[in-house]
Amino acid sequence: MLALIAAVALLPLALANNYHYEIAILVGLNAIVCVGLNLLIGYAGQISLGHAGFFGIGAYGSAILAARYGWPPVLALAAASAAAAALAYAVGRPILRLRGHYLAMATLGLGIIISIVIATEDRYTGGPDGMSVPPLALAGFALAGERAWYWLVGALLVATVWLSLNLIESPIGRALRALHGSEVAAEVVGIDSARHKLLAFVLSAAIAALAGALTAHYAGFITPGKVTFLHSIELVVMVVFGGMASTFGAVVGAAVLTALPQLLTVFKEYEMVVFGGVMMLTMIFMPKGLVPTLAALRSRFGKAP
Amino acid sequence: MKLRTWFAAALLATAAAAQAQAPIRIGAFLAVTGPAAFLGDPEQKTLELYVERVNAAGGVLGRRLELVSYDSGGDAEKARTFAKRLIEQDRVDVIVGGSTTGETMAVVPLVEAAGVPFVSLAGAVVIVEPVKKWVFKTPHTDRMACDKIFVDMKARGASKVALISGSGGFDKSMRGECLKVAKNHGIDIVADETYGAGDTDMTAQLTKIRNAPGVQAVLNAGFGQGPAIVTKNYRQLGITAPLYQSHGVASKQFINLAGDAAEGVRLPAAALLVAESLPDSDPQKKVVVAYKQAYETRFRQDVSTFGGHAYDGLMLALEAMNKAGSTDKVKVRDALEQIRGYMGTAGVVNMSAQDHMGLDLTAFRMLEVRKGDWVLAR
Amino acid sequence: MSAQLVQFLLSGLTVGAIYALVALGFCIIYNASHVINFAQGEFVMIGGMATASFLGAGLPLPLAALAAVALATLIGLALVKFAVEPARGASVVTLIIITIGAAILLRGLASIVWDKRIHALPAFSGEQPISIAGATLAPQSLWVIGVTALIVAALWWFFNRTLAGKAILAVSHNRLAAQLMGISVRRVLLVSFGLSAALGALAGILIAPITFTSWDVGVMLGLKGFAAAILGGMGSGPGAVLGGLTLGLLESLGAGYLSSAYKDAIAFVIILVVLVLMPGGLLGGRATERV
């Protein structure tokens, strides 16, 4: 935890220009979504292939309220996150009864439905070409510039990680881990699995929506490209890549997979091939994900005389 | 004392020489892969080809050109990040890029804030309307396409028209513009159907159009494989009303895909597609034939109007630098705005402070598919 | 029956047959390894693109098609050898991510080895539309529906009447017991991936004359095939076919009678409703979980 705070605080020393800050901010925003998603996938053991949909509700909800209805951005942000949470609650109750691949399909379908609605209702959303978003402003004081956003996103990331770590160690967290291990056994012990699964689902949806709204206000522009099922799959890959059931794994996964395409541009047209190859090789040789594998290695070598 | 001034002078001279040798950096972000690869791939190839050629001919202002380009995959956020990289890290002098409207619009706030001249290669009219100080564009707008098509439809006696479009940005934008300007031409839109990006069959939508009362012509606003499938389904269903496509499929590839079904289809396009069959007196002939031959010889692929837009974008940027005599961004921007009578593959360009695209309706030619090839429609 | 309805039904069946073929590919691999092969759509793409490129190199259509199917099968086997086997023992989620990585890799390779343009294949028996009850059908659609029916029958025979097929089914029911009975799980994996790849490639060749093919055509088809397989009940062959046809019909009827802009959304809403009411899919039945 301290390492994360130190990393966030000290990173600006390594960031040379606004472009580097931009990458750092994007990493932070993705990491926030992944930490939330990790609660659902890694701890509660449920899969969601539709979280880009909640991200989109947050982003577009806030954008539409602020741009078309003149709401103050902070209020729009909160309202959009609440809307996403409400949708997750309403839809989560029936679909969380599904297991495994069926749940994956249901969440995938949900995400796709949301993205189709967003792309089609172009009078509100600007359609596939997107819409402009007003900057985040509080009482007339607008948040502008990469540095200011960096500190905001960094602070929120630390807060989200702190929230996640505390939740995992709390009775709710233990209940979640129990039902990941075996839902039947958990029920036998008296844990209301439906309620806990729903909680993880709604919480991760709200976090994703918050990150979505922030992304929209930061970039000043939002398109449906971020709401596609491909982005949902990207998010899941980030969580698994970094290590499921590891909050820091989620952060690391987001960092690596957000920054990697920037580094791979040297490969020009081979970028996709290299990216796919990296994904495959990492998962083959580090099946538990980056952080747990490295932690295991460290403890193994740490014991050497 | 003399030694020091001499030394200082030598230093300055070396610095000036170094500056003079520093290449002119042309930045680009294009949708080379992804759903808009149809656009970005020929654009990328064109930029590479012509940067090479210009360098071989001595460069611009005595300096080499250097192309720094990134693949945005058609994604607006990636485009934004790469544009930021071009501006902040690569420190480019001018940006030519933005294959799609979404990518372009996402980048507009960046170039306006940073003051970098940006020539967009995307189609929608919102890019230059309202005019933005640092943003220019080379392709015809979708509104111009609608105007050209409606004029032609009216000339053939059609006033009740059905619309079918895809769900992509280009499709929706053009559909929106056509709905807006239809009244100006006395055209009545009696049906309005859409299909999805990866759809494989449009007979349901076309059946509804065929059954709509009094349809005299049909316009398909789309690009990629959708319009080719629409065209095939159109003939399969035996619909006889004239079919118009958009400039989004102005390429030989469309004819290859749609096959015999494409016979008789009309669309507005740049003269580039019929370069060799233009009369010698046509002022555009020289430019388009040269580009067509250079591209086809080098890449062994049919020329593309989208590649042509990239050619125009690059040439306009270089022309502006030549006129301004420097790569100072403010001077280049002003010079861009003052370009008059420049002949590109899209048509003659007359920029102004109010018009950052510079094309008029004559830049579009109405083409028709006859015997498997594009010809100028009578 | 109105001609309009017949038209919608015919186009729905054509599209549905395509989805069914892709869904069957998902189903076979799932049965053998409980892995969802997200690279399935890419096999479809390889079938179409490879045939187009072999055709361009001068081979006649049947040979080009055969070569393309062989190529896809080889790639399927390579996928097992280099991706699935080394990751033996990893969790299902990890395996899924590996297949996603493989899909990205294959797409990238396709865009480099071939190109980023759209290609068409010639229709097998011409383009003259066939009239049925006031609606028209492209001859290629008959090929798609016909060959799909043949394949379904062939697969039924394979899984129920041959030892190799039964071995795959045995592994899907209980891997340990199958191994104890002397069935080589490794061989079963190879056969199932190879078979699915060949199936996908064949689907790609059948539909390319209608839908064209390009380096990224696998994404959407893979998604719809997956949805169809789940709708019918993952792991059930008849379910995959039923799911595919249902999805195709839902899309076509949705576009025809409700809203063409929302037809995909309508289809997915209905899939969601079906899943909530029947958690195992249409033919999945209620699964019992051993504790």
Side-chain angles (χ1 to χ4, degrees):
Chain A
M1 184 70 199
L2 283 172
L4 178 70
I5 298 181
V8 170
L10 294 175
L11 190 61
L13 296 174
L15 301 178
N17 56 41
N18 279 342
Y19 161 67
H20 289 157
Y21 269 95
E22 160 111 2
I23 302 297
I25 294 170
L26 289 178
V27 164
L29 288 168
N30 276 337
I32 292 176
V33 182
C34 287
V35 168
L37 192 55
N38 181 42
L39 284 173
L40 184 65
I41 298 183
Y43 289 106
Q46 308 298 308
I47 186 146
S48 168
L49 291 182
H51 258 57
F54 296 121
F55 183 93
I57 292 181
Y60 271 93
S62 189
I64 292 174
L65 287 173
R68 301 214 193 285
Y69 294 101
W71 283 36
V74 178
L75 215 57
L77 209 140
S81 305
L87 180 68
Y89 185 81
V91 182
R93 301 195 74 213
I95 71 176
L96 284 170
R97 282 188 276 145
L98 299 166
R99 305 285 173 80
H101 307 299
Y102 298 96
L103 178 61
M105 181 64 225
T107 52
L108 184 61
L110 178 65
I112 291 179
I113 293 171
I114 295 175
S115 78
I116 290 179
V117 173
I118 289 179
T120 310
E121 291 300 319
D122 48 359
R123 252 176 322 137
Y124 293 104
T125 66
D129 282 337
M131 60 181 283
S132 289
V133 186
L136 196 63
L138 187 61
F141 175 65
L143 194 69
E146 277 77 6
R147 277 152 190 72
W149 271 99
Y150 175 82
W151 292 118
L152 176 65
V153 173
L156 281 173
L157 175 62
V158 169
T160 314
V161 170
W162 181 83
L163 175 72
S164 168
L165 289 173
N166 275 337
L167 188 68
I168 291 163
E169 296 304 323
S170 75
I172 296 180
R174 286 199 288 275
L176 283 175
R177 279 183 284 166
L179 72 88
H180 183 183
S182 163
E183 198 164 321
V184 177
E187 291 252 335
V188 166
V189 185
I191 293 172
D192 183 352
S193 66
R195 198 170 71 96
H196 283 92
K197 282 196 279 191
L198 191 60
L199 176 67
F201 193 64
V202 170
L203 191 57
S204 64
I207 294 175
L210 178 68
L214 286 170
T215 309
H217 287 288
Y218 167 61
F221 198 79
I222 181 84
T223 63
K226 278 300 219 178
V227 196
T228 60
F229 74 93
L230 286 173
H231 187 56
S232 291
I233 292 181
E234 236 172 47
L235 290 171
V236 173
V237 173
M238 285 181 198
V239 172
V240 178
F241 190 85
M244 293 192 288
S246 161
T247 306
F248 294 108
V251 176
V252 169
V256 171
L257 288 176
T258 308
L260 198 58
Q262 296 295 323
L263 300 169
L264 292 182
T265 54
V266 291
F267 288 106
K268 298 246 162 227
E269 59 222 17
Y270 289 90
E271 190 205 314
M272 272 183 85
V273 178
V274 175
F275 189 72
V278 168
M279 263 178 75
M280 287 175 73
L281 288 170
T282 315
M283 291 277 81
I284 292 174
F285 293 111
M286 302 204 216
K288 288 211 184 311
L290 219 51
V291 169
T293 310
L294 290 177
L297 276 174
R298 196 182 62 165
S299 64
R300 226 179 13 149
F301 289 125
K303 291 207 180 88
Chain B
M1 185 68 200
K2 242 170 107 176
L3 192 62
R4 248 193 292 177
T5 36
W6 193 89
F7 204 63
L11 254 156
L12 270 170
T14 338
Q19 171 62 3
Q21 300 319 320
I24 299 180
R25 308 186 116 197
I26 313 275
F29 61 96
L30 302 166
V32 185
T33 57
F38 199 88
L39 306 171
D41 188 47
E43 287 165 359
Q44 171 77 16
K45 291 183 154 88
T46 302
L47 286 180
E48 281 172 6
L49 172 63
Y50 277 89
V51 162
E52 231 178 75
R53 294 187 117 201
V54 169
N55 280 339
V60 169
L61 301 174
R63 292 158 68 179
R64 271 185 62 244
L65 293 181
E66 187 186 315
L67 179 66
V68 184
S69 78
Y70 296 112
D71 173 14
S72 63
D75 180 59
E77 209 197 70
K78 271 202 188 156
R80 215 187 80 94
T81 311
F82 284 130
K84 203 167 249 195
R85 186 169 173 172
L86 288 170
I87 298 174
E88 301 277 343
Q89 176 140 305
D90 300 310
R91 306 210 155 272
V92 297
D93 297 299
V94 73
I95 299 182
V96 176
S99 314
T100 64
T101 304
E103 295 172 66
T104 298
M105 295 308 289
V107 165
V108 163
L110 290 180
V111 296
E112 290 286 304
V116 177
F118 170 40
V119 184
S120 163
L121 307 180
V125 69
V126 300
I127 296 173
V128 289
E129 203 173 282
V131 161
K132 302 154 192 54
K133 186 163 178 220
W134 294 89
V135 181
F136 299 79
K137 94 185 194 77
T138 51
H140 319 84
T141 62
D142 38 13
R143 183 186 299 162
M144 285 171 69
C146 293
D147 286 331
K148 191 88 184 175
I149 292 172
F150 286 147
V151 165
D152 198 75
M153 282 178 170
K154 256 330 216 7
R156 286 167 100 180
S159 58
K160 284 194 183 327
V161 172
L163 212 52
I164 175 168
S165 56
S167 56
F170 173 93
D171 310 37
K172 283 193 126 83
S173 177
M174 182 159 167
R175 169 185 168 269
E177 290 301 315
C178 285
L179 286 170
K180 267 193 244 168
V181 301
K183 282 286 176 292
N184 303 349
H185 298 270
I187 299 266
D188 214 352
I189 306 282
V190 298
D192 181 9
E193 296 293 323
T194 59
Y195 51 89
D199 279 4
T200 57
D201 183 288
M202 281 50 132
T203 51
Q205 292 93 326
L206 287 171
T207 306
K208 279 162 83 173
I209 285 180
R210 187 178 57 179
N211 294 346
V215 170
Q216 293 167 313
V218 178
L219 168 57
N220 179 199
F223 82 64
Q225 63 219 49
I229 299 176
V230 167
T231 308
K232 289 183 88 152
N233 290 159
Y234 201 80
R235 300 294 175 221
Q236 176 196 323
L237 290 175
I239 306 179
T240 52
L243 177 62
Y244 284 79
Q245 290 287 352
S246 73
H247 52 304
V249 291
S251 72
K252 205 77 200 306
Q253 197 182 130
F254 169 71
I255 304 181
N256 291 338
L257 292 176
D260 293 331
E263 198 73 9
V265 167
R266 286 198 177 183
L267 55 70
L272 184 56
L273 275 190
V274 291
E276 273 103 10
S277 57
L278 289 171
D280 284 338
S281 55
D282 192 305
Q284 248 195 308
K285 184 160 184 178
K286 198 154 158 272
V287 172
V288 292
V289 169
Y291 173 69
K292 184 165 194 269
Q293 287 176 346
Y295 186 92
E296 289 184 348
T297 321
R298 168 65 170 268
F299 297 114
R300 271 182 272 269
Q301 272 180 5
D302 289 314
V303 76
S304 144
T305 49
F306 305 110
H309 297 319
Y311 169 88
D312 291 347
L314 179 65
M315 291 305 155
L316 282 170
L318 298 183
E319 169 86 0
M321 284 181 194
N322 272 323
K323 280 179 68 176
S326 89
T327 54
D328 173 76
K329 299 186 174 73
V330 179
K331 293 205 184 119
V332 170
R333 187 215 82 89
D334 291 339
L336 264 173
E337 214 171 56
Q338 286 156 14
I339 290 184
R340 299 266 185 284
Y342 179 83
M343 184 56 75
T345 64
V348 72
V349 177
N350 289 309
M351 299 276 193
S352 76
Q354 291 80 37
D355 183 358
H356 276 196
M357 178 190 60
L359 295 170
D360 62 30
L361 267 186
T362 63
F364 255 153
R365 317 292 181 105
M366 188 54 77
L367 303 182
E368 188 177 310
V369 180
R370 231 176 281 147
K371 294 212 211 345
D373 205 352
W374 294 110
V375 300
L376 285 164
R378 293 279 147 263
Chain C
M1 249 215 245
S2 86
Q4 198 182 43
L5 177 61
V6 177
Q7 188 67 58
F8 295 154
L9 287 176
L10 284 178
S11 56
L13 279 176
T14 311
V15 173
I18 297 170
Y19 295 155
L21 281 178
V22 183
L24 277 171
F26 273 106
C27 174
I28 296 175
I29 291 184
Y30 178 78
N31 273 340
S33 63
H34 285 268
V35 169
I36 303 288
N37 175 25
F38 273 97
Q40 186 64 31
E42 309 315 318
F43 292 132
V44 178
M45 179 269 292
I46 290 173
M49 287 297 280
T51 309
S53 109
F54 288 137
L55 259 183
L59 285 174
L61 183 59
L63 269 175
L66 215 61
V69 172
L71 177 65
T73 313
L74 278 171
I75 295 179
L77 296 174
L79 195 61
V80 177
K81 186 106 189 23
F82 294 113
V84 179
E85 258 178 36
R88 204 180 354 206
S91 74
V92 174
V93 183
T94 305
L95 280 167
I96 289 179
I97 307 260
I98 293 177
T99 61
I100 293 178
I104 296 177
L105 186 101
L106 287 171
R107 273 206 291 281
L109 278 177
S111 72
I112 298 171
V113 169
W114 293 307
D115 58 34
K116 300 191 191 66
R117 320 186 83 210
I118 307 173
H119 294 268
L121 288 181
F124 293 179
S125 58
E127 308 249 336
Q128 194 58 29
I130 304 170
S131 250
I132 300 180
T136 59
L137 193 66
Q140 191 66 24
S141 305
L142 278 181
W143 277 101
V144 175
I145 297 176
V147 175
T148 305
L150 271 173
I151 290 179
V152 170
L155 283 176
W156 181 89
W157 176 82
F158 175 71
F159 280 114
N160 288 317
R161 294 270 183 271
T162 65
L163 212 54
K166 291 198 209 181
I168 299 181
L169 283 183
V171 169
S172 81
H173 287 308
N174 191 324
R175 180 181 269 215
L176 190 55
Q179 276 178 307
L180 288 172
M181 295 306 289
I183 294 174
S184 157
V185 174
R186 186 165 172 276
R187 188 136 16 113
V188 161
L189 266 181
L190 282 170
V191 170
S192 57
F193 266 81
L195 190 57
S196 280
L199 214 60
L202 193 56
I205 300 170
L206 280 173
I207 63 176
I210 305 178
T211 71
F212 311 123
T213 184
S214 66
W215 67 287
D216 65 350
V217 83
V219 179
M220 217 35 183
L221 280 174
L223 172 69
K224 298 267 177 89
F226 174 64
I230 294 263
L231 175 62
M234 182 57 85
S236 154
V241 176
L242 183 63
L245 292 175
T246 310
L247 183 58
L249 284 169
L250 280 176
E251 280 182 11
S252 179
L253 293 170
Y257 290 118
L258 293 172
S259 150
S260 54
Y262 278 111
K263 67 168 169 56
D264 281 351
I266 295 169
F268 279 113
V269 166
I270 295 186
I271 292 180
L272 276 179
V273 170
V274 168
L275 285 178
V276 166
L277 296 175
M278 307 173 74
L282 289 173
L283 296 183
R286 296 213 142 261
T288 47
E289 194 182 314
R290 304 200 73 198
V291 184

